[in-house]
Amino acid sequence: MVGITQPTNGEHVNADGVWDLLQNKGKMTVFSLCLLLFADLLDLAVGYLTVTIEPLPPVVVGETVTLKCNFKTDGRLREIVWYRVTDGGTIKQKIFTYDAMFNTNYSHMEDYRKREDLVYQSTVRLPEVRISDNGPYECHVGIYDRATREKVVLASGNVFLTVMSPPNNISVSAENCPAPFSRYQAQNFTLLCTAKGGKPAPSVYFKRDGELIEVISYIHPSAVAEDGGGSAGVRGARPLISRDLDDTKLQRSLSLLDPEGRPARLFTESPERGRNPGQHTQSQQQQPSPATEVIPETVVSREFPRWVQSTDPLYYFSHTHIPQSDGSVLVQARLTWTLNPQLDNDAMFSCEVKHPALSMPMQTEVTLAAPKGPKLLMTPTRAKVGDTVRITVQGFQVGAGVPGNEVFPEPLFTWTRVGGRLLDGSAEWDGKELILERVPAELNGSMYRCTAQNPLGSTDTHTRLIVFENPAMMKNTQNPNNGTPRVDVLGPIWMVLALVLTVTVELT
């Protein structure tokens, strides 16, 4: 029985404070005595029951959680039931029950999901919690009604279990790649860092060569499907980055022109690329013919841009959060800037992810690199007339800052035939492999160019196709008498027969 102090106006008075109240007021009426006796009898019949649950700190996936239900009562315990609350409190799923009448406990989950263990009568342990365990829980305690012994008086408490999950995968990729190399104007470049499996959403940031990048945040626009937009249409949705050249840059750019005012042409670019129609018409007759191009057996060349960009670019940063069905959040962070191949080549960019469930940040890194001479493999090594020949890119020459044969971002491969069209009649072919089916003898000695390019640069490698005679095909051409009789053999026989008949007719 817990006493109370003097109540204020409108405050409820229970049986424990009725006697003090009457003494303080100095009144003892018959009604007051009846009220006091009725309150005492009601308290003896019902008893008291309070339920409290200690709050839980956030836990990490895989840890063990103990749900403690503390209750106080002077009555006889009937049962303790734990519920998992879902759908905003509209559904309560019974997960564990302790029956005090029979002193038994049992789980209400399916056998393959049964993970609850009873520690004490009111305490349940959840080993190896998962993201799906996140949410509110309730503990309901029931005692017998002292008056009837048939009714059960209930009280409950609740607690919220917060389950955290660290990201299980992070990766860095280049958006809108593979993409061609821009020779005459600057272009935006975007790194995309993706973090999967985190709950709550992790924080993501970028570093360049180990130094934190100062960024300008912006809201990334939603993906808009554009008819025929391709990568150019996607880049158009990026934040505007100034590409205007000042007087100094303009003078430096003009220094790249030849005496006639045209950009100096490298043999790796075709006349149709990077030139407007008027310039192409004027210089078409002055260009050397591809058929007379003199190229050694293997040539590797690299090309750099013909524009000058600021050495202090502005970096723009945006991120999006995408909820997943398992409760985790997919985070995509983008870093966009105006690419400068002379400075950004061999630069290392890292994406780091911080999360409260991690003791230290997760990190993944990439090194920007222009392709440095693709290595080509031709099969079969001794091609014969009628064979199917495959020319495949096997890797790249190892350069400084590039581990092994890795090139990032992924290059775009284009195949052309020097001095003519490909076997199928097309001018060029895109892909890591060029297939020539049933090569004829006329392709013997033909030269093929593989151009590998990404936004950081372009490089060419040439290889020559040597076609040998096919003995099997020669054998068929050297036996012309096999088969039906030839017309040129039967012709003289008919002429002799006609001459004999003519002579016979004249004699008669």
Side-chain angles (χ1 to χ4, degrees):
M1 308 268 299
V2 181
I4 64 173
T5 58
Q6 175 70 27
T8 58
N9 292 334
E11 184 176 356
H12 176 71
V13 181
N14 62 13
D16 300 317
V18 173
W19 181 259
D20 293 336
L21 180 61
L22 293 177
Q23 283 186 339
N24 292 335
K25 290 187 175 181
K27 298 179 181 180
M28 184 64 66
T29 61
V30 176
F31 175 76
S32 299
L33 290 176
C34 294
L35 179 63
L36 177 61
L37 293 177
F38 176 77
D40 286 339
L41 292 176
L42 181 64
D43 186 37
L44 291 175
V46 177
Y48 70 91
L49 174 63
T50 59
V51 178
T52 59
I53 303 178
E54 299 177 1
L56 295 172
V59 297
V60 181
V61 170
E63 294 183 350
T64 298
V65 176
T66 300
L67 304 176
K68 297 180 180 180
C69 183
N70 303 318
F71 65 93
K72 294 181 180 181
T73 182
D74 59 351
R76 181 184 174 188
L77 181 65
R78 173 61 184 91
E79 65 177 3
I80 301 174
V81 182
W82 277 96
Y83 290 90
R84 163 81 188 281
V85 183
T86 58
D87 294 337
T90 58
I91 299 178
K92 295 183 179 181
Q93 181 184 14
K94 188 181 294 186
I95 63 173
F96 203 87
T97 299
Y98 169 71
D99 191 334
M101 177 180 294
F102 302 100
N103 194 24
T104 58
N105 58 83
Y106 47 92
S107 171
H108 297 272
M109 308 299 289
E110 297 84 352
D111 291 339
Y112 70 94
R113 296 183 58 190
K114 186 183 297 183
R115 298 180 295 112
E116 300 80 12
D117 297 325
L118 182 69
V119 181
Y120 300 104
Q121 293 178 349
S122 60
T123 303
V124 174
R125 181 170 57 203
L126 303 177
E128 299 180 358
V129 293
R130 298 169 293 211
I131 295 181
S132 58
D133 295 325
N134 185 89
Y137 291 80
E138 291 184 0
C139 176
H140 291 228
V141 179
I143 62 174
Y144 285 108
D145 189 336
R146 290 182 178 181
T148 63
R149 298 294 180 181
E150 295 178 356
K151 296 182 180 180
V152 176
V153 179
L154 297 176
S156 64
N158 60 79
V159 65
F160 195 94
L161 174 61
T162 301
V163 181
M164 299 186 303
S165 173
N168 53 35
N169 178 269
I170 60 173
S171 60
V172 176
S173 60
E175 275 199 338
N176 311 316
C177 283
F181 171 64
S182 177
R183 293 172 173 83
Y184 301 105
Q185 66 177 358
Q187 60 180 339
N188 290 349
F189 184 74
T190 300
L191 285 178
L192 173 63
C193 180
T194 304
K196 301 178 181 179
K199 179 186 176 298
S203 58
V204 181
Y205 54 93
F206 287 90
K207 288 184 177 181
R208 172 173 177 152
D209 296 327
E211 298 290 337
L212 185 65
I213 299 177
E214 295 183 2
V215 298
I216 301 174
S217 298
Y218 77 100
I219 299 176
H220 182 264
S222 58
V224 179
E226 297 183 9
D227 297 337
S231 61
V234 178
R235 283 199 180 93
R238 295 286 181 266
L240 243 304
I241 300 179
S242 176
R243 300 175 182 173
D244 297 335
L245 297 177
D246 56 23
D247 295 339
T248 305
K249 296 177 183 178
L250 183 58
Q251 293 175 3
R252 294 179 62 185
S253 299
L254 291 176
S255 65
L256 296 173
L257 302 178
D258 61 14
E260 299 182 5
R262 299 190 311 270
R265 178 177 180 268
L266 298 181
F267 76 94
T268 55
E269 65 176 292
S270 61
E272 293 81 9
R273 296 183 182 178
R275 206 181 295 273
N276 58 43
Q279 293 175 336
H280 172 63
T281 304
Q282 296 174 2
S283 60
Q284 186 174 11
Q285 297 179 353
Q286 302 176 6
Q287 300 289 350
S289 172
T292 61
E293 192 172 7
V294 179
I295 302 175
E297 289 294 330
T298 301
V299 176
V300 176
S301 64
R302 293 188 63 192
E303 186 174 356
F304 291 97
R306 302 176 184 182
W307 43 265
V308 181
Q309 181 61 31
S310 171
T311 59
D312 190 16
L314 298 177
Y315 292 94
Y316 293 82
F317 176 83
S318 70
H319 61 87
T320 56
H321 295 175
I322 305 175
Q324 304 296 297
S325 58
D326 60 353
S328 63
V329 180
L330 174 68
V331 178
Q332 292 181 333
R334 291 172 173 84
L335 182 70
T336 304
W337 75 100
T338 303
L339 193 67
N340 187 341
Q342 285 95 335
L343 297 178
D344 293 332
N345 193 42
D346 295 334
M348 184 183 69
F349 287 82
S350 59
C351 170
E352 296 192 3
V353 176
K354 283 186 176 181
H355 193 272
L358 295 173
S359 58
M360 59 186 302
M362 297 177 65
Q363 176 180 316
T364 183
E365 58 189 29
V366 293
T367 300
L368 303 187
K372 298 177 175 67
K375 299 177 181 178
L376 305 181
L377 175 65
M378 184 181 297
T379 55
T381 55
R382 186 181 177 88
K384 298 184 293 294
V385 176
D387 289 348
T388 296
V389 178
R390 299 175 182 268
I391 310 176
T392 309
V393 177
Q394 292 294 308
F396 296 88
Q397 295 181 1
V398 179
V402 182
N405 290 327
E406 297 179 3
V407 172
F408 183 89
E410 180 185 0
L412 176 66
F413 299 97
T414 304
W415 298 86
T416 55
R417 179 187 172 191
V418 178
R421 291 183 172 270
L422 298 175
L423 186 58
D424 60 357
S426 60
E428 61 182 27
W429 171 263
D430 294 332
K432 294 188 66 174
E433 184 179 60
L434 176 64
I435 301 177
L436 305 174
E437 296 183 352
R438 297 186 295 275
V439 293
E442 290 78 9
L443 290 183
N444 182 34
S446 57
M447 183 75 72
Y448 292 88
R449 177 193 294 121
C450 177
T451 301
Q453 56 181 327
N454 64 10
L456 290 154
S458 175
T459 179
D460 290 347
T461 298
H462 294 75
T463 185
R464 191 179 298 275
L465 174 62
I466 305 299
V467 182
F468 295 89
E469 295 181 349
N470 194 334
M473 298 182 66
M474 293 178 60
K475 186 181 299 184
N476 293 334
T477 58
Q478 291 177 357
N479 295 321
N481 294 330
N482 296 337
T484 60
R486 294 179 55 182
V487 178
D488 56 353
V489 177
L490 297 177
I493 299 176
W494 288 107
M495 292 176 62
V496 173
L497 292 176
L499 182 59
V500 172
L501 290 175
T502 302
V503 174
T504 306
V505 170
E506 290 179 354
L507 291 177
T508 57

